[in-house]
């Protein structure tokens, strides 16, 4: 069962881009101003050349020509220098924005309800963190600045062309219809066409990999012919898909070329006509034609980058969608009045309409040890997760000191109750950082105390850099038992009054387990413990045993009471005891 994470709509994306832009007004306007200046410097040439043509017509001196060439060189150098700084500033801005986007995304991802991550998690979330972030990175770093520059240049060039004379607007307008029609025609078909093309590549790969991996089977069953045919089929489909996109390009590109050339030619013809009528000077026609020709490059870039920007916007929509997952925790601001954990008529479902807990009541005494036993799939782990405040119940309540666990901010919740599982992740960072994340701001002494409590101080201090030793992936390797100790020390530091224990030590090898058992015992000392017991002998030591069957607490009482009562616990105990004594 997978749920998909939402995708933000266009309005949200626009609004977000707006906020991002407004966060750095100085850099944004600085970069824009530089781009404008660079574009303006580039616009001097046609004017100067126009003047040159005109002066040649009227008779000129070599000095005059030299001056104009000198001026051209100055503007060229100015444009180069300005462009360099404009690009530099845009890149810095791009990186800055990208970093903020990533931070926002990480925040949003970390705020996702655990249940959502588990359901949609690996596939969708990973694609978003990798592919969409990459795509967006490309858009923000390259496409967006290039596009902005192209737009600025195009607008300014057009304005410059108009200043030569209003008549220039007419030939420019002639280029618009083929441009718009061609673009719409292409964009409507291109996305699907290219998607299909890449899908056929994946298909070729899939078939080929399958054939190679199953080579023995293929040979044994004489499937060779059929596999070859399957590959031929895939290649044929790919050929057709490529032909289609090629067809799109063979229509689109010439169409664009024509759309670009029409204005230039029209300017020349129209300008020439006006010149023969004595309406405009030869210099003006020269400048106008050069400007209109200069428009081609930025317009072409605007068009070709549009595609990339669309992809970037789609990725951004997917990244922002993560923030739209409704939170399943609602901080109420109420303070717990005690340490007592209570479940009241709790029902819960992972999949709508299929409850796995059917009305569970459980009052846990402060300092009490409760063991949960029962057949696998009965709902023990689920109940444990609810008692640790990871999921909210569908109906009913799970409270600490009268306040719902999911009403507490996460940081507060961890000070009340924590879930201990056999998943013990060592994060990349120093040993200290690994512990302190349980309680930010802890002193080194507190960290040492926590390590000492779980019997881990000795080996940590023996590490080359002690608390500063880097562990986690890429850092110093720690054993599974050491990782578990780090996780336990984290708990000591967080210091919750209640622990929910799920198979805490069952995966550790027996020798390490005995050692860990001591560490664990130290952590459990003085706390309320709800243990999901997979070995009955720990149930024997508990204050009370809860037998979970089919999403309900079927039996609840001390070991002796339950054995006395002769229910399913008694039967379990009998068979286990009987087996262990033979
Ligand atoms: P136990 O810990 O007693 O073995 P669980 O609490 O793990 O039982 O499971 C109770 C029921 O909930 C089972 O039917 C299981 O298939 C179902 N379940 C557990 N986790 C999920 C999940 N993430 N999504 C959907 N169903 C789940």
């Amino acid at each position: 069962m997978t749920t998909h994470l939402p995708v933000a709509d266009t309005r949200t994306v626009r609004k977000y881009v707006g906020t991002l832009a407004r966060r750095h007004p100085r850099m944004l306007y600085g970069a824009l101003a530089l781009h404008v200046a660079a574009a303006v410097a580039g616009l001097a040439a046609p004017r100067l050349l126009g003047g040159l043509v005109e002066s040649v017509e009227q008779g000129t001196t070599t000095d005059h020509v030299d001056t104009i060439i000198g001026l051209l060189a100055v503007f060229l150098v100015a444009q180069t220098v300005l462009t360099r700084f404009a690009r530099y500033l845009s890149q810095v801005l791009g990186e800055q924005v990208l970093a903020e986007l990533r931070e926002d995304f990480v925040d949003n991802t970390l705020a996702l309800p655990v249940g959502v991550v588990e359901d949609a998690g690996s596939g969708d979330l990973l694609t978003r963190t990798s592919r969409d972030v990459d795509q967006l990175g490309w858009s923000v770093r390259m496409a967006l600045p290039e596009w902005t520059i192209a737009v600025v240049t195009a607008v300014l060039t057009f304005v410059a062309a108009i200043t030569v004379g209003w008549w220039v607007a007419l030939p420019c307008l002639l280029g618009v219809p083929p441009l718009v029609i061609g673009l719409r025609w292409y964009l409507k078909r291109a996305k699907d066409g290219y998607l299909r093309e890449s899908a056929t590549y994946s298909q070729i790969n899939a078939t080929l990999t399958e054939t190679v991996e199953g080579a023995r089977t293929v040979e044994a069953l004489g499937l060779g012919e059929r596999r070859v045919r399957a590959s031929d089929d895939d290649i044929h489909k790919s050929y057709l898909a490529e032909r289609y996109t090629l067809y799109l390009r063979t229509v689109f590109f010439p169409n664009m070329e024509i759309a670009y050339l029409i204005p230039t030619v029209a300017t020349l013809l129209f300008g020439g006509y006006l010149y023969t009528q004595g309406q405009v000077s030869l210099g003006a026609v020269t400048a106008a034609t050069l400007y209109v020709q200069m428009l081609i490059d930025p317009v072409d870039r605007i068009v070709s980058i549009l595609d990339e920007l669309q992809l970037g916007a789609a990725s951004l929509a997917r990244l922002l969608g993560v923030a739209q997952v409704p939170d399943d925790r609602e901080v109420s601001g109420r303070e717990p009045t005690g340490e007592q954990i209570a479940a009241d008529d709790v029902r819960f479902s992972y999949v709508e309409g299929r409850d796995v807990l059917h009305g569970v009541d459980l009052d846990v005494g402060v300092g009490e040890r409760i063991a949960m036993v029962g057949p696998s799939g009965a709902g023990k782990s689920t109940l444990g997760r609810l008692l640790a405040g990871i999921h909210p119940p569908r109906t009913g309540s799970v409270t600490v000191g009268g306040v719902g666990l999911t009403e507490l901010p996460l940081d507060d919740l961890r000070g009340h109750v924590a879930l201990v599982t056999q998943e013990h992740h060592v994060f990349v960072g120093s040993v200290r950082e690994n512990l302190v994340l349980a309680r930010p701001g802890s002193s080194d002494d507190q960290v040492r105390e926590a390590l000492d409590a779980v019997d881990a101080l000795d080996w940590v201090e023996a590490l080359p850099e002690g608390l500063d030793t880097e562990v986690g992936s890429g850092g110093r390797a720690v054993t599974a038992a050491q990782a578990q100790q780090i996780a336990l020390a984290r708990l000591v530091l967080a210091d919750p009054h209640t622990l929910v224990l799920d198979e805490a030590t069952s995966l550790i090898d027996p020798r390490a387990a005995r050692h860990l058992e001591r560490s664990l015992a130290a952590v459990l000392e003085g706390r309320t413990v709800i243990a999901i017991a997979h070995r009955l002998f720990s149930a024997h030591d508990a204050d009370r045993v809860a037998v979970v069957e089919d999403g309900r607490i079927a039996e609840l009482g001390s070991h002796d009471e339950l054995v006395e009562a002769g229910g399913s616990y008694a039967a379990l105990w009998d068979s286990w005891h009987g087996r262990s004594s033979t």
Side-chain angles (χ1 to χ4, degrees):
M1 174 66 205
T2 54
T3 49
H4 279 283
L5 297 168
V7 175
D9 60 16
T10 319
R11 247 191 60 220
T12 317
V13 173
R14 288 223 182 102
K15 227 174 86 192
Y16 184 77
V17 171
T19 5
L20 273 185
R22 276 194 294 278
R23 270 194 224 162
H24 306 281
R26 289 222 337 252
M27 260 206 246
L28 183 65
Y29 292 125
L32 270 179
L34 281 170
H35 281 307
V36 168
V40 168
L43 290 173
R47 278 291 170 124
L48 290 169
L49 289 173
L52 194 62
V53 169
E54 216 158 303
S55 65
V56 168
E57 196 186 23
Q58 290 150 9
T60 185
T61 60
T62 42
D63 272 358
H64 182 66
V65 175
D66 286 347
T67 320
I68 291 197
I69 289 175
L71 273 175
L72 278 174
V74 169
F75 277 113
L76 195 66
V77 171
Q79 189 190 12
T80 310
V81 173
L82 285 168
T83 305
R84 188 235 170 247
F85 284 105
R87 278 182 187 251
Y88 176 74
L89 206 55
S90 326
Q91 296 277 340
V92 173
L93 180 62
E95 290 300 329
Q96 179 77 34
V97 168
L98 201 57
E100 283 166 20
L101 270 167
R102 286 199 159 126
E103 278 165 20
D104 284 355
F105 178 63
V106 170
D107 284 347
N108 293 337
T109 308
L110 291 181
L112 280 177
V114 187
V116 174
V117 178
E118 285 183 348
D119 284 353
S122 29
D124 203 0
L125 201 56
L126 273 187
T127 317
R128 292 188 194 211
T129 44
S130 53
R131 232 203 46 179
D132 285 327
V133 168
D134 280 349
Q135 175 62 49
L136 191 65
W138 203 90
S139 295
V140 170
R141 283 200 187 102
M142 300 298 302
L144 199 57
E146 284 299 317
W147 199 73
T148 318
I149 296 170
V151 169
V152 167
T153 314
V155 169
L156 288 175
T157 310
F158 183 69
V159 169
I162 295 290
T163 57
V164 172
W166 281 106
W167 59 273
V168 186
L170 200 68
C172 287
L173 284 178
L174 283 180
V176 174
L179 191 77
V180 171
I181 294 171
L183 200 58
R184 288 182 62 131
W185 180 86
Y186 180 73
L187 287 183
K188 213 171 94 188
R189 292 163 176 77
K191 198 173 142 213
D192 288 343
Y194 286 109
L195 279 182
R196 192 153 37 141
E197 193 181 284
S198 40
T200 64
Y201 297 153
S202 309
Q203 183 57 44
I204 293 180
N205 272 334
T207 308
L208 216 55
T209 318
E210 211 174 68
T211 309
V212 172
E213 279 178 355
R216 282 170 202 279
T217 319
V218 169
E219 214 154 81
L221 300 181
L223 297 175
E225 276 288 313
R226 219 183 292 174
R227 298 306 299 176
V228 170
R229 241 182 296 131
S231 281
D232 282 347
D233 226 36
D234 290 344
I235 291 169
H236 183 66
K237 282 197 189 113
S238 184
Y239 164 78
L240 288 181
E242 281 191 15
R243 252 189 82 134
Y244 178 69
T245 59
L246 186 64
Y247 155 72
L248 293 181
R249 289 192 299 270
T250 51
V251 173
F252 179 63
F253 287 147
N255 172 79
M256 286 288 114
E257 288 299 322
I258 289 170
Y260 296 151
L261 282 178
I262 286 174
T264 318
V265 174
T267 311
L268 208 54
L269 289 176
F270 191 39
Y273 169 76
L274 291 178
Y275 172 69
T276 58
Q277 301 297 305
Q279 307 256 352
V280 298
S281 69
L282 200 54
V285 178
T286 311
T289 311
L290 287 174
Y291 279 135
V292 173
Q293 203 182 12
M294 272 173 75
L295 262 174
I296 294 178
D297 179 53
V299 170
D300 188 44
R301 269 186 293 154
I302 291 175
V303 168
S304 52
I305 297 173
L306 215 55
D307 228 21
E308 289 292 338
L309 280 185
Q310 268 183 339
L311 289 180
S315 290
L316 182 58
R318 287 160 55 78
L319 292 182
L320 291 179
V322 174
Q324 294 180 337
V325 176
D327 204 347
D328 64 354
R329 319 185 66 84
E330 208 163 309
V331 175
S332 67
R334 291 199 295 151
E335 287 290 325
T337 53
E339 297 188 350
Q340 189 168 24
I341 304 259
D344 183 33
D345 194 25
V346 165
R347 287 164 205 278
F348 180 81
S349 62
Y350 289 100
V351 184
E352 208 165 302
R354 281 227 308 270
D355 278 3
V356 294
L357 295 179
H358 313 279
V360 173
D361 293 303
L362 184 64
D363 281 319
V364 185
V366 174
E368 194 184 18
R369 307 228 153 170
I370 292 189
M372 271 202 262
V373 299
S376 141
K380 302 182 294 293
S381 300
T382 307
L383 183 55
R385 292 165 72 89
L386 264 72
L387 289 170
I390 289 174
H391 302 294
R394 185 174 64 74
T395 63
S397 66
V398 183
T399 53
V400 56
V403 179
L405 287 180
T406 48
E407 286 174 50
L408 295 169
L410 278 174
D411 286 340
D412 290 359
L413 175 68
R414 284 186 209 109
H416 289 289
V417 50
L419 179 70
V420 188
T421 66
Q422 50 191 226
E423 280 174 48
H424 36 72
H425 190 70
V426 176
F427 294 91
V428 174
S430 66
V431 176
R432 180 192 293 104
E433 283 163 343
N434 258 285
L435 264 67
V436 164
L437 55 90
R439 183 174 287 261
S442 307
S443 70
D444 277 8
D445 281 343
Q446 286 169 314
V447 170
R448 281 205 190 83
E449 252 170 61
L451 285 168
D452 195 28
V454 298
D455 229 356
L457 191 58
D458 289 344
W459 68 260
V460 169
E461 299 216 302
L463 291 174
E465 283 155 88
L467 286 180
D468 289 315
T469 310
E470 294 283 322
V471 290
S473 111
R476 195 186 172 80
V478 295
T479 66
Q482 289 172 334
Q484 183 90 54
Q485 281 182 325
I486 289 180
L488 289 174
R490 226 181 258 146
L491 274 182
V492 174
L493 213 55
D495 196 22
H497 53 71
T498 301
L499 290 175
V500 178
L501 225 59
D502 195 349
E503 305 182 292
T505 56
S506 61
L507 273 188
I508 305 285
D509 80 88
R511 263 167 309 144
R514 213 166 312 130
H515 187 71
L516 269 181
E517 209 87 46
R518 276 210 307 276
S519 309
L520 185 62
V523 178
L524 300 187
E525 188 62 40
R527 297 179 211 273
T528 309
V529 179
I530 301 152
I532 298 169
H534 295 268
R535 292 155 305 167
L536 282 184
F537 96 140
S538 37
H540 178 252
D541 298 334
D543 296 320
R544 279 193 296 168
V545 177
V547 180
V548 180
E549 272 170 3
D550 200 14
R552 290 185 182 80
I553 294 189
E555 295 171 28
L556 181 65
S558 73
H559 170 79
D560 293 338
E561 283 166 12
L562 292 187
V563 169
E564 187 80 13
S568 51
Y569 179 76
L572 268 176
W573 177 257
D574 264 357
S575 68
W576 182 77
H577 206 245
R579 200 172 47 210
S580 69
S581 55
T582 51

